Amino acid sequence: MSNPLQLSHENYYSQEAGRVYMSNSQLKVWGRCEAMAHAQFVTGEWVPKSRACFEVGKYVDAGVLQPDGWADDMARILHDHNGVFYKQDGSEKADKVRADKMISRALDDEVAQEWLAGDQQVILVGEIGGMKWKAMLDVLNLALGWICDFKTTRSLGKVWAYRDGRRRYMPWYDQFGYLRQLAVYRELVRQVYGVLCEVGLCGVLNDDVPWCDVLRFGGGIDEVLDAHMKVVELECERVLEIRAGA
């Protein structure tokens, strides 16, 4: 499959990349509001404002996952989004203090570091549902056949959340559809490397006293991931219809 746009860490989140490639986060936008997604990813008429939680998450990712040039990434995030992390008098906001605590906690946690070992911030492209897809994997360990996604979260237990029009009690990773995200990652790794990996999550609590938890989903998760992929493919069909003017 030809790649009309070569992705890098510099352009991965760009508008151009979003127009060329589908992603898990973009598909969520299409599911929430088709008109908004069309304006953002097709015509480019609407550019969403960056959310503070997103920038804090990228800052923590840079500190914990430490890709090449991670110190520069952290400095750039702090510079470009100064108002997210610092008050007008130059003192640190609570989000900056908590982010630094999360980074330290994850780096000091031996189990978390074991699970995060491997190639980090790996960009992959492939095809799902007739569309070009992109993904950036936090951790890919081909030697162990292992994919791990790193998350900052406000809960590492069960949470109340709305699903299918009803308020339900569910694991924290179900609230934001992380299993579907892992299903997409696993499929793209299979396409690129021919390996069907195990998947897992490493979460760090976004709190004044953070702690880490790790989840490794065994072979019994295969049917769940396959079901998620079928839904993704169906949703891609709808996006293609909209792009074609249906």
Side-chain angles (χ1 to χ4, degrees):
M1 181 183 63
S2 61
N3 297 327
L5 174 67
Q6 295 298 318
L7 293 175
S8 66
H9 290 96
E10 287 70 33
N11 69 5
Y12 183 86
Y13 295 107
S14 68
Q15 277 189 289
E16 184 182 6
R19 285 193 293 268
V20 175
Y21 295 98
M22 178 56 71
S23 66
N24 183 66
S25 58
Q26 181 183 152
L27 196 58
K28 287 182 180 180
V29 179
W30 284 98
R32 288 195 297 268
C33 179
E34 293 177 352
M36 180 174 65
H38 190 274
Q40 180 178 349
F41 300 111
V42 179
T43 66
E45 298 174 63
W46 179 65
V47 180
K49 293 182 179 179
S50 178
R51 298 171 59 191
C53 61
F54 181 64
E55 300 307 329
V56 171
K58 288 200 295 185
Y59 174 78
V60 175
D61 280 353
V64 173
L65 299 175
Q66 301 186 23
D68 293 339
W70 68 276
D72 291 338
D73 286 344
M74 295 177 74
R76 176 183 51 76
I77 293 168
L78 292 176
H79 178 270
D80 293 348
H81 305 280
N82 185 275
V84 172
F85 297 95
Y86 296 101
K87 301 176 184 178
Q88 289 187 345
D89 63 5
S91 60
E92 295 180 340
K93 288 186 176 181
D95 280 344
K96 172 67 163 56
V97 175
R98 281 196 297 269
D100 287 335
K101 288 181 178 178
M102 285 189 283
I103 292 171
S104 296
R105 182 67 181 88
L107 293 178
D108 290 341
D109 191 294
E110 293 183 3
V111 176
Q113 287 303 297
E114 180 180 339
W115 284 45
L116 295 174
D119 294 325
Q120 299 174 333
Q121 303 275 278
V122 178
I123 296 174
L124 296 179
V125 297
E127 184 171 331
I128 298 172
M131 304 187 74
K132 294 180 176 64
W133 271 71
K134 67 183 176 81
M136 186 187 298
L137 282 61
D138 288 338
V139 177
L140 174 60
N141 192 324
L142 288 173
L144 298 179
W146 172 243
I147 298 168
C148 186
D149 204 37
F150 177 71
K151 299 294 186 185
T152 61
T153 176
R154 294 193 178 277
S155 175
L156 286 170
K158 288 193 172 183
V159 296
W160 285 102
Y162 281 94
R163 182 66 55 81
D164 300 326
R166 295 178 57 188
R167 195 164 182 261
R168 302 173 183 271
Y169 198 50
M170 63 185 68
W172 65 273
Y173 52 83
D174 274 342
Q175 182 181 12
F176 298 106
Y178 292 150
L179 284 181
R180 184 171 85 163
Q181 184 176 4
L182 288 171
V184 169
Y185 289 178
R186 188 178 74 154
E187 171 59 19
L188 292 178
V189 170
R190 185 195 65 78
Q191 291 183 20
V192 175
Y193 296 104
V195 176
L196 195 63
C197 290
E198 288 189 71
V199 297
L201 292 169
C202 176
V204 59
L205 189 67
N206 186 348
D207 192 78
D208 291 329
V209 184
W211 57 282
C212 292
D213 192 19
V214 292
L215 293 168
R216 186 164 195 159
F217 302 100
I221 201 68
D222 287 348
E223 291 185 3
V224 175
L225 299 181
D226 290 343
H228 278 297
M229 288 307 303
K230 290 180 180 178
V231 174
V232 167
E233 290 172 357
L234 288 173
E235 292 180 359
C236 284
E237 288 182 12
R238 174 57 184 163
V239 175
L240 286 171
E241 289 177 355
I242 297 171
R243 286 178 175 269

